[in-house]
Amino acid sequence: MRIKITATTDRPASFPFNYQYPLQAAIYSLIRESSSDYSTFLHEQGYIKDGIDRVFKFFTFSKLKFSPKLRGKTGFVNVRQIEFIFSTIVEESLRHMILGIFSDREMHLRINGKGLKLTIVNVDVLEELVFSGKEKFICLSPIAVSTMIENHKGRRVPHFLNYMVPRERDRFAENIKNNLVNKYETLHNASYDNREHPFSFHFDPIYISKKNGTISKLISFKNDIKIKAMEAPFTVEADPDLIKIGYECGWGEKNSAGFGCTEPIRA
């Protein structure tokens, strides 16, 4: 389930290149307008399942589409309109998001230490999609996948995998699958019984060639956290139930921070 949100400013506005955290905060605020309890639950707890050491929020959102799209040295300037996708597999999340939007049709972002008010002028409910066992997608936001490693102090820390490093490529695809299975089991509170279903995930080599192998993005998030993620069209072969979860909840990790939002390529 997903909606496309369009909002305008009453004056030209500036956005930094790394705006994911302010946008995430604005989304939680919209949900809070409908239900403070549910917004707090999503933000502070999320969905969990015994035996899975992950917490899922089960929503993601795309990068912003700016109008006009003018780049300055530190971000986008003279912005008058933004557009983005909000996607979730949880009906309650979508309901509270929509009710929050229509409570006063305003979004409030904290940009560069200053408040920015936007007026929501349109909300489109997008068509529900049915997936086959093989699909092609484009990224509406980059995909982050990590694994735990020991640093020089002997502490286990997350390492974001780089698909373009050959020794990390198989692990990248494997972790994508494991993440989808964990989401499935947490969402349904049941074991996933189709683990033998073939699974493959690969980014488009022609696109990679056109980009000279540069498909990684380094995003600065809250408290200067650095998140490395990949952004390129990809093909996935998998159980359609897992593909649906990837599409609606996000692929990989950090989905509720604006990572892993995609759109299928349909003829």
Side-chain angles (χ1 to χ4, degrees):
M1 299 174 287
R2 53 178 51 189
I3 55 177
K4 181 170 68 175
I5 299 162
T6 305
T8 59
T9 63
D10 58 5
R11 54 183 170 80
S14 297
F15 285 76
F17 290 125
N18 295 295
Y19 54 75
Q20 284 80 0
Y21 177 64
L23 182 54
Q24 181 198 53
I27 287 171
Y28 278 120
S29 293
L30 286 171
I31 293 172
R32 189 179 304 115
E33 287 292 323
S34 172
S35 173
S36 177
D37 288 344
Y38 187 70
S39 178
T40 300
F41 161 76
L42 267 188
H43 185 258
E44 297 184 3
Q45 179 178 334
Y47 293 89
I48 58 176
K49 183 181 184 298
D50 289 343
I52 295 177
D53 63 346
R54 296 281 183 176
V55 175
F56 298 112
K57 310 301 176 69
F58 290 134
F59 75 83
T60 188
F61 56 91
S62 70
K63 295 187 295 184
L64 292 175
K65 181 179 179 181
F66 296 105
S67 180
K69 188 175 182 179
L70 302 173
R71 287 176 175 264
K73 290 183 178 180
T74 59
F76 301 93
V77 298
N78 295 326
V79 175
R80 299 307 302 264
Q81 179 175 291
I82 63 169
E83 180 182 292
F84 69 98
I85 300 292
F86 173 83
S87 181
T88 181
I89 203 167
V90 179
E91 185 177 341
E92 189 172 6
S93 295
L94 185 66
R95 182 174 74 251
H96 287 308
M97 182 69 171
I98 291 175
L99 291 175
I101 287 171
F102 286 105
S103 65
D104 63 6
R105 287 183 172 269
E106 290 183 357
M107 282 182 66
H108 297 271
L109 283 79
R110 193 76 180 168
I111 300 292
N112 296 326
K114 298 179 180 179
L116 174 64
K117 184 184 79 171
L118 297 103
T119 301
I120 298 172
V121 296
N122 199 49
V123 178
D124 290 322
V125 179
L126 303 185
E127 178 186 4
E128 291 279 326
L129 299 181
V130 176
F131 297 101
S132 67
K134 182 177 181 179
E135 297 283 351
K136 295 182 179 181
F137 289 89
I138 59 171
C139 289
L140 302 181
S141 62
I143 299 173
V145 177
S146 71
T147 190
M148 299 300 291
I149 63 171
E150 282 193 7
N151 66 9
H152 65 283
K153 296 181 180 179
R155 296 176 181 172
R156 289 180 61 78
V157 295
H159 165 71
F160 287 99
L161 296 170
N162 187 341
Y163 184 88
M164 296 308 300
V165 175
R167 67 177 181 274
E168 296 188 356
R169 193 168 300 152
D170 288 345
R171 175 64 68 85
F172 191 99
E174 179 184 346
N175 284 14
I176 287 278
K177 178 183 178 180
N178 291 339
N179 177 272
L180 291 171
V181 170
N182 285 340
K183 285 172 179 167
Y184 179 98
E185 293 189 339
T186 303
L187 179 68
H188 296 286
N189 194 29
S191 296
Y192 177 69
D193 296 327
N194 204 9
R195 291 178 181 269
E196 300 307 313
H197 194 289
F199 183 92
S200 69
F201 178 102
H202 62 268
F203 288 113
D204 182 354
I206 296 176
Y207 180 90
I208 290 172
S209 178
K210 289 179 179 178
K211 291 292 184 177
N212 293 317
T214 306
I215 63 169
S216 66
K217 307 288 182 181
L218 188 62
I219 309 296
S220 294
F221 200 65
K222 181 183 178 182
N223 299 327
D224 204 33
I225 295 171
K226 304 292 186 183
I227 300 173
K228 179 177 284 188
M230 305 291 116
E231 187 172 345
F234 64 90
T235 299
V236 60
E237 294 186 58
D239 178 352
D241 288 341
L242 295 187
I243 293 177
K244 178 180 175 66
I245 286 175
Y247 169 71
E248 295 199 333
C249 303
W251 301 86
E253 305 165 24
K254 310 295 183 185
N255 304 137
S256 65
F259 290 85
C261 188
T262 63
E263 181 176 85
I265 300 172
R266 296 283 169 92

